[in-house]
Structure formats: structure tokens, C-alpha cells
Amino acid sequence: MQKQATINDVARIAGVSKRTVSRVINGSLSVGDTTRTRVEKVISELKYSPNTQARGLASSRSYLLGLIYDNPDALYLDDVQRGVLEVCSNLGYELVVHPCRYRSETLVNDCLRFMQRSKLDGVIVLPPVSESETLAQALKDSGSAYVRLSSVALDEAKHIVVSDDRAAAAEMARYFAQLGHQHIAFISGPQRYKSSTERMEGFQLGLSAYGIKLRPEWIIEGNNTYETGIECARQLLQIENKPTAIFANNDQMAAGVLKVAHSLGIKVPEQLSVAGFDDNMLASRVIPALTTIKRPVRQMALLATSKLIMSIENNEKAAGNVGAKVAPTLVVRESTARAPDSSD
């Protein structure tokens, strides 16, 4: 049986101290690029795998990060976890996930207990939980490292990664208007969430530049689920004066609109244009493929995890310098076309 490589073996072959090897393993920024590359090459050749518990004992850290969420969209959560784990696997951290109830009166205590119980070094907080100022203040007061994902700049740069949902929704509005659509409906997410209000206000602002105003009866609130997309679409498509285009707050609800349109014999996109937000895996797999806004969720998760680890390692200045805002982009597919009553 082959003997397992030790940190002493790595240090001897790389020609460095054990402390330097440890710094490379822990992702410390104090190691030069040349030395880091040499040590990482030896680690790879020896297939050396540091013991997380041993690392934690040596540095008084657990090398565990937490992910706090309350989001019904499993595809979004999967994208976030992939981004977080990409950084964790490179820097030797592990991830612990914690579902919670955003509107629970015990939210703050539940999250703090989760951190203490799991001995976490820090947490990433997803929307809508990230919108809780009470939780953010409690994390700050307890000295916990944290980063929030949000659609607005709720915190200092070192604690936040923002998706500019308002600008992206305005871009979708311009796209609809340029296709000749005047009769446009919007299925919003829960209005208590900042992401929902940002998208709706951005969409309204974009339409207003073309002299188009959303009718109050064509704005319906859903719950960011496929099922509520179906419910809202039935309300919009079973009235005499139907819209020619529907923008849904996320892809799940947009998929619900496609289902209702099909069941009512309404052709998409010939009679009805449909668009969503997120560009998750579902968007390219439904028929017709969904025009949507691509939110770079994985990139946001990568940035958030990098910021968090920098803060944990007492490099908060560098954490603040890591990009704090990402720009979602329009992805045009098969579910949108010129308005049926417009000329080319």
C-alpha cells in the first residue's frame, strides 16, 4: 500500500517551509505566484490532500462556509452552489447549506445558531434572506464574516454582490417596444422582495421611454413559482382584451405562461410573445425556447465566495476591491416576435 504524502513531503520537494505550504493550501495572498505554482504542482503530483480538521486546528478555523437561503427555485440554488463549490474546492473549504424561512420571527436567532452549531468561518446569504437588515446587523455585531447577494447595494462593497436587475428589466422593455408591442403585461414576483420591485420599476421605466404604460389590470403578482405563473397567465389570457406580450419575473413563471398559452390554443410567438428572467436550465429546454434575461448567478456566487474568504483571512481591503456588481444580459430565443398587429 502506497504511503500517503504528508505536508513534510510537499515542503521538502518544493524546497519551501511547511508554513509556506500551509499558506498556499489556505489560499493566502502573501505567497508569490512563482512559489505558489511550484507548491501547487508538487501537491498535485503527490496527490496530497490536507486534512480539513487538522487545518482548522492549526489555524483556529473550521474551513466551513455556510449558505443561507429561502428560495423555491431549485435551479437557481443549484447554480449558486456550483459557483460557491468551485472556489471552495480550489481553496480547501467545505460548504454547509441552511434553508430557512425569511418571514419567520426567529430568522435571526436561527441563522446565528446555525453558524455557531456548525462552527462556520462565514456565510453567504441569498435573496430574499439577504434583504433582512436585521440579520445583516446581527451578523456584523457578532463579528461574523458574511456576503450578501442582492439586486440593490444594501451594504459595503466587501459584504455585497449586486445584480443590476433594474437595468436588465429596462432592456427587456426596450426589446418588446422595438418589436412593436403596445399591449404588454407583467407578472411580478412578491412585491415585498427588492428584486421584484427592481425588475418591475426597471421594466416600467424602459417602457415609458417609448410612451408605453403598463395597465394596472395587466400587472399581476405571482410567487416566482411555475404554479403561480400558470394562475397569473390564466387571468391575463382568458380576458377579451389580451396582451400581445408577457414579461414574467422569472423563468419558472414564464414557463407557466407557455403552458397556459398552449392549452388555450394561443400561438407563441405568433400571437403572444413571452419572456422570463434568470436564464436557468429550464429556459433553453421549454418549447419554444424562452427569451429571457441571463443573470450570471454562478459568477455572483464565485465573487461572493472570493470576497468571503478574503474577509475570513483578514484581507477586507481586497474583498472590497473584488467586483461588487454584475450586469445581466438579454438572451433572445424563440418565444418572442414582432407584435401581431405591427408592420415590419
Side-chain angles (χ1 to χ4, degrees):
M1 185 176 179
Q2 188 176 358
K3 181 184 174 184
Q4 186 175 0
T6 67
I7 192 170
N8 292 323
D9 297 325
V10 176
R12 175 175 50 80
I13 295 171
V16 298
S17 67
K18 287 193 293 182
R19 181 180 293 276
T20 298
V21 175
S22 179
R23 284 173 176 162
V24 171
I25 291 168
N26 293 331
S28 172
L29 299 175
S30 64
V31 181
D33 290 341
T34 302
T35 302
R36 179 185 302 279
T37 301
R38 186 167 74 251
V39 172
E40 287 176 344
K41 183 181 178 184
V42 174
I43 288 173
S44 177
E45 289 173 349
L46 295 181
K47 296 179 179 169
Y48 172 64
S49 179
N51 180 279
T52 302
Q53 287 184 326
R55 291 168 65 213
L57 287 171
S59 62
S60 299
R61 297 212 305 266
S62 66
Y63 292 90
L64 295 175
L65 305 182
L67 183 67
I68 296 174
Y69 72 94
D70 178 10
N71 191 315
D73 189 341
L75 295 174
Y76 169 77
L77 185 61
D78 179 69
D79 240 5
V80 169
Q81 288 189 74
R82 287 175 187 273
V84 173
L85 290 171
E86 185 174 331
V87 178
C88 284
S89 62
N90 288 334
L91 298 180
Y93 283 78
E94 305 290 340
L95 180 66
V96 184
V97 298
H98 179 66
C100 64
R101 291 194 298 172
Y102 169 56
R103 305 190 75 185
S104 168
E105 293 181 358
T106 61
L107 171 69
V108 172
N109 286 336
D110 289 346
C111 291
L112 292 178
R113 278 200 298 269
F114 161 64
M115 288 197 69
Q116 293 164 358
R117 183 172 63 248
S118 303
K119 296 180 170 57
L120 303 179
D121 290 334
V123 289
I124 296 168
V125 191
L126 304 184
V129 186
S130 60
E131 297 175 5
S132 169
E133 294 299 338
T134 307
L135 175 60
Q137 190 59 53
L139 290 171
K140 199 171 291 185
D141 291 345
S142 66
S144 303
Y146 70 92
V147 177
R148 306 154 81 180
L149 269 61
S150 181
S151 56
V152 289
L154 299 170
D155 214 320
E156 301 169 75
K158 65 184 178 182
H159 289 306
I160 195 83
V161 176
V162 176
S163 169
D164 195 351
D165 291 3
R166 178 180 287 255
E171 185 179 5
M172 181 66 79
R174 288 191 292 272
Y175 172 65
F176 273 170
Q178 289 166 3
L179 288 175
H181 290 283
Q182 296 284 327
H183 309 297
I184 302 169
F186 181 65
I187 300 177
S188 82
Q191 286 299 294
R192 63 182 179 273
Y193 298 163
K194 293 186 186 299
S195 60
S196 298
T197 57
E198 285 293 298
R199 293 174 194 181
M200 186 168 77
E201 290 173 7
F203 192 57
Q204 289 174 316
L205 188 64
L207 290 177
S208 67
Y210 290 85
I212 303 170
K213 187 174 181 179
L214 281 175
R215 300 182 186 181
E217 65 269 25
W218 283 355
I219 302 173
I220 300 182
E221 183 175 331
N223 198 33
N224 286 337
T225 62
Y226 176 70
E227 291 76 16
T228 57
I230 290 174
E231 293 169 11
C232 294
R234 283 178 180 151
Q235 294 180 55
L236 290 168
L237 298 177
Q238 290 183 319
I239 57 177
E240 185 176 345
N241 190 18
K242 299 178 183 63
T244 63
I246 298 176
F247 177 37
N249 193 65
N250 71 352
D251 293 339
Q252 300 275 21
M253 293 199 295
V257 176
L258 293 179
K259 177 177 175 60
V260 173
H262 178 74
S263 70
L264 295 175
I266 299 172
K267 294 180 180 178
V268 177
E270 294 86 352
Q271 295 172 292
L272 175 70
S273 286
V274 180
F277 200 112
D278 282 337
D279 194 30
N280 61 32
M281 192 167 52
L282 177 71
S284 59
R285 296 185 178 186
V286 293
I287 300 175
L290 191 63
T291 290
T292 187
I293 296 291
K294 181 177 181 62
R295 183 168 49 153
V297 173
R298 194 171 303 189
Q299 180 192 354
M300 293 179 71
L302 283 164
L303 289 172
T305 311
S306 299
K307 280 177 177 286
L308 182 61
I309 292 174
M310 287 176 182
S311 292
I312 290 167
E313 296 179 350
N314 298 317
N315 199 343
E316 295 193 344
K317 183 177 180 181
N321 290 335
V322 172
K325 180 177 278 192
V326 299
T329 54
L330 175 66
V331 178
V332 176
R333 295 198 180 97
E334 302 160 4
S335 65
T336 49
R338 291 196 65 82
D341 54 356
S342 68
S343 56
D344 290 332

